[in-house]
Amino acid sequence: MKAFFNSMTGRVFFALMLGIIASAALTQWLALNERQRTLERYRNFHALERAEQIIETADVVRPESRAQYLQVASKGTVQLELAAHEAPALPATEFSAALAQRLGREFQVTPIAERPPSCDKPIATNTLFGATQWRGTCESVQIAMTDGQLLKLSVLPPRAPAPTGHNEYAVILPFLLSIAVLAYLVTRMTVRPLRQLAQAAKDLGNDINHPPLGLTGASEIRQASAAFNAMQARIRQYIAQRTEMLAAITHDLQTPLTRLRLRLEKVTDEDLRQKLIGDLSAMQAMVKEGLDLARSIDAGGTMQKLDLDSLLDSVCADAVEAGQPVELKGSAGMALLGRPLDIQRCLVNLIDNAVKYGQKAHVTVERLAGAARIRVRDEGPGIPQDQLARVFEPFYRLESSRSRASGGTGLGLTIARNIAEQHGATLSLSNGDNGGLKPC
């Protein structure tokens, strides 16, 4: 769950959910408040009409029958009753002023401080944003009739509505579910092009000749895909030009280097001839390694299914036949998709490196969670911790263990890492607990 909310999908989904819920809550709050204000205005008008009606009717009823009439007429939210005594007057309110204007000068309408207890009682509600307090007219007014009798008029809050049989809170769950589905669909539609671009960038790193992206979707997505395809084409062109240039240089150098070797054979000084031939061999090795490095960057070639155990067994057997002390242990029991010659080149470089600088190569292979891990350990002194990353740089050699006399060009590990990355693998170095280097 944490990984989901840390991803772009989770963040967009959370932002959409939060925005939609906040908008819906604000809309619901405004709608309920507007409905409450409309209800209050209607109730106030109804209370004003009802008060005028019963007061004028009570005025024409004979005083001895007035109490009986008031008992029958005062059963709603507007109640009129005989006043026990004259109450202190308050300043006129909006309701009392409107009622006095309707009744005329024959009646005296005076607000009093005696507020009905029901005015302060909370309103039962089954909504999240419904008002819990009646904010319409709720007060007591003293009425002086035309015959001088005092009556008390009480305007009360409306009665609670009858239960509908269903709870409005039950609507929230399907509402949130529908919002979540909508937000998820929008999130997928938004993030999918980004995932496609990320996957295309990953595929580009593994295979420069990977098919280009399809120009589909919104105009901005098509524009980004076209720019990505153009970048891939330029990179492919640059790599091809460099590989062709190095191949041409290597090819053109072979003839003069061969002639130079033939002419060096005629040098009479044996010691000088051997030194010159050694330098010439180093030059030829460097040219060849440079071409191999360029080819290792170029991910061209057809991928095919191969047996990893058979390939390892073949590489180690060839090394033993060549006189190299190599030991192979374990098995992966799996097939993988790759370019056999490139993977063989990667393994040969690691084994040669272990034998050349660590006297012996111990190769172990195991299967871990559907993937294979190959370790090539030597018996050398290892590499300083701060140099483990730098040995992957082209032409970089450790002076204490790598020298031109040993035949190294400083490109073997670089080529091996490039090939590994093109096949979706990683190559790292670490020093063993008991000495020696462990490429894996």
Side-chain angles (χ1 to χ4, degrees), residues 24 45 54 109 178 264 336 393 396:
F45 178 77
I54 62 175
V109 181
S178 62
L264 287 177
L336 55 86
E393 299 176 4
Y396 183 82

Side-chain angles (χ1 to χ4, degrees), residues 6 54 77 211 286 372 415:
N6 286 336
I54 62 175
T77 57
M286 291 183 66
I415 295 172

Side-chain angles (χ1 to χ4, degrees), residues 63-346:
E64 59 270 18
S65 303
R66 188 171 290 168
Q68 185 177 3
Y69 164 74
L70 294 179
Q71 186 178 1
V72 176
S74 302
K75 291 186 177 180
T77 57
V78 178
Q79 298 181 0
L80 189 63
E81 58 186 336
L82 297 176
H85 55 82
E86 184 176 359
L90 293 178
T93 62
E94 182 180 354
F95 177 80
S96 64
L99 182 60
Q101 184 178 5
R102 280 174 170 263
L103 294 175
R105 297 181 180 180
E106 293 84 3
F107 299 87
Q108 291 184 3
V109 181
T110 306
I112 58 177
E114 187 179 343
R115 180 177 174 87
S118 58
C119 293
D120 299 321
K121 291 182 179 180
I123 303 175
T125 179
N126 56 356
T127 62
L128 287 175
F129 306 103
T132 58
Q133 192 72 34
W134 177 253
R135 295 170 299 187
T137 299
C138 190
E139 57 184 88
S140 294
V141 180
Q142 185 172 270
I143 308 295
M145 307 296 286
T146 56
D147 58 3
Q149 189 176 22
L150 295 178
L151 301 181
K152 185 177 76 171
L153 176 70
S154 298
V155 181
L156 307 178
R159 296 188 180 94
T164 59
H166 56 83
N167 192 350
E168 292 188 11
Y169 288 105
V171 181
I172 297 177
L173 182 59
F175 174 72
L176 291 178
L177 289 176
S178 62
I179 287 179
V181 172
L182 175 63
Y184 180 72
L185 293 177
V186 174
T187 300
R188 283 193 59 185
M189 183 177 62
T190 304
V191 177
R192 184 184 300 170
L194 298 179
R195 287 181 175 174
Q196 291 176 347
L197 284 175
Q199 185 61 40
K202 182 179 179 180
D203 294 338
L204 177 63
N206 296 331
D207 182 8
I208 192 63
N209 296 315
H210 192 272
L213 285 173
L215 302 181
T216 58
S219 59
E220 294 82 2
I221 302 302
R222 294 198 301 270
Q223 209 170 22
S225 300
F228 186 90
N229 292 338
M231 177 193 69
Q232 179 181 359
R234 287 194 297 269
I235 294 175
R236 186 189 300 116
Q237 183 182 6
Y238 294 154
I239 293 177
Q241 290 176 349
R242 182 177 62 179
T243 304
E244 291 174 0
M245 179 184 67
L246 289 175
I249 292 174
T250 303
H251 180 270
D252 292 343
L253 284 176
Q254 290 299 326
T255 301
L257 287 175
T258 302
R259 288 200 302 264
L260 185 58
R261 177 179 289 274
L262 293 174
R263 290 171 181 173
L264 287 177
E265 296 294 338
K266 299 178 181 180
V267 176
T268 57
D269 190 333
E270 181 66 22
D271 185 47
L272 177 61
R273 183 172 68 250
Q274 294 301 324
K275 290 181 180 179
L276 292 175
I277 291 177
D279 290 339
L280 183 61
S281 299
M283 291 174 59
Q284 289 178 320
M286 291 183 66
V287 171
K288 182 178 181 299
E289 290 287 339
L291 180 60
D292 290 339
L293 175 62
R295 287 173 176 169
S296 71
I297 299 175
D298 185 7
T302 304
M303 292 278 191
Q304 57 181 332
K305 194 173 183 180
L306 54 92
D307 189 311
L308 181 60
D309 292 333
S310 299
L311 182 62
L312 274 172
D313 185 69
S314 174
V315 170
C316 293
D318 291 344
V320 171
E321 290 180 2
Q324 293 180 323
V326 179
E327 180 185 29
L328 174 62
K329 291 183 179 181
S331 63
M334 62 181 297
L336 55 86
L337 196 65
R339 292 181 288 273
L341 293 180
D342 290 347
I343 297 178
Q344 183 179 3
R345 173 70 177 179
C346 175

Side-chain angles (χ1 to χ4, degrees), residues 7-26:
S7 64
M8 176 66 74
T9 302
R11 292 179 180 180
V12 174
F13 177 79
F14 181 74
L16 284 175
M17 282 288 293
L18 185 62
I20 295 175
I21 292 176
S23 300
L26 178 60

Side-chain angles (χ1 to χ4, degrees), residues 29-44 123-125 127 129-136 158:
W29 181 78
L30 292 174
L32 288 176
N33 275 269
E34 181 61 28
R35 187 179 71 175
Q36 183 69 18
R37 283 193 295 268
T38 303
L39 179 62
E40 290 168 1
R41 288 194 296 267
Y42 170 76
R43 288 288 185 177
N44 292 344
I123 303 175
T125 179
T127 62
F129 306 103
T132 58
Q133 192 72 34
W134 177 253
R135 295 170 299 187

